[in-house]
Every structure is written in structure tokens, then in C-alpha cells.
Amino acid sequence: MTKEARNKFRISESAAQASRRAARAAEPAESATAGWTFLTNHAHVLLCLVEDAEVRLRDVATRVGITERAVQRIVSDLEEAGYVTRSRVGRRNSYEVHGEGSLRHPIVAHRDIKALLDLVPRPRRPRATR
């Protein structure tokens, strides 16, 4: 393949990637339609990890309405602060949320993460039938 052909391929590939990004950005997330929410993206990600410890970050991004990269940064923040522990299970990650950590804002610093998690009921998963 010539240098010119490689450059054309790179340009068309970049255009295709940009088109996919634009299409994803145009899809409104359910939470984004409200304009603002009471909880931060960090709280939304944390709630997703509590709901399903083996959830893919791509799926968390879709549910929260942010990019996968933003979810990765948030999970790193939560992990650094000691709210979450990430462990490898085969080819996937599993997340353990530690409810004993204090909330970070001075107004609510006297409460722990468990208090926040208890406020938001998690949907019941259907039991597996035999």
C-alpha cells in the first residue's frame, strides 16, 4: 500500500469514527433530557456499580448518559478515594463498593456512602428459574 493510499484510508477511517461519535452524541440519554439532576455523575456511576458488580463501563456510560472515558475517570476517582475496589475476574472487572466511606461535601460529611445507597432503591433482579 502506498503512502498516499494509507493516508486516504486514515482520513476515511477518522471521518467514519467522527460520524459514529456524532451519532452517539445526538442520541439523548434519559437523564440528559431533564437538564439537571440532584445527584452527580459520580453518584450515578456508583449506583450502577452497586446494582451490578460486573457491569461493563460501556453500559454504565449509556445508562448515565456520559462517555465511557468519563466513566473510567470517575471509577478511578472512586477507587483512589477508597469507595470502590476493582478486581479482575477472567476477562472482566468486578467492582466492590465500600459503604462505610464518608460523603465528601462538608454539609453531608457526617453521613456515609451507605446512607446514600439506602436512599435509592435498586431494582429487583428476576430470580433464575430452573
Side-chain angles (χ1 to χ4, degrees):
M1 181 180 264
T2 68
K3 187 175 181 178
E4 186 177 309
R6 278 195 306 267
N7 285 339
K8 282 183 183 178
F9 178 74
R10 283 187 193 132
I11 290 169
S12 66
E13 184 176 298
S14 295
Q17 289 171 341
S19 174
R20 284 192 297 272
R21 272 195 309 272
R24 281 194 306 264
E27 296 172 2
E30 286 182 37
S31 63
T33 59
W36 63 274
T37 63
F38 282 103
L39 300 177
T40 66
N41 288 339
H42 281 67
H44 291 134
V45 169
L46 189 68
L47 290 167
C48 288
L49 297 180
V50 167
E51 186 179 318
D52 182 1
E54 295 182 3
V55 66
R56 294 180 314 167
L57 296 186
R58 174 180 301 157
D59 298 331
V60 173
T62 301
R63 290 194 61 205
V64 175
I66 58 178
T67 65
E68 188 174 349
R69 181 68 188 124
V71 172
Q72 290 169 351
R73 282 192 304 270
I74 289 170
V75 169
S76 292
D77 288 347
L78 294 171
E79 198 172 16
E80 266 182 46
Y83 297 114
V84 171
T85 302
R86 181 185 345 209
S87 57
R88 200 76 174 152
V89 178
R91 294 176 59 190
R92 299 195 58 179
N93 288 324
S94 180
Y95 303 92
E96 179 183 357
V97 175
H98 307 288
E100 64 278 355
S102 297
L103 293 170
R104 294 174 55 99
H105 196 279
I107 293 174
V108 291
H110 65 284
R111 304 301 305 251
D112 60 13
I113 295 297
K114 187 175 180 325
L116 171 68
L117 299 176
D118 289 344
L119 285 174
V120 183
R122 288 166 294 287
R124 292 185 180 175
R125 297 194 173 270
R127 293 183 182 202
T129 56
R130 294 183 187 195

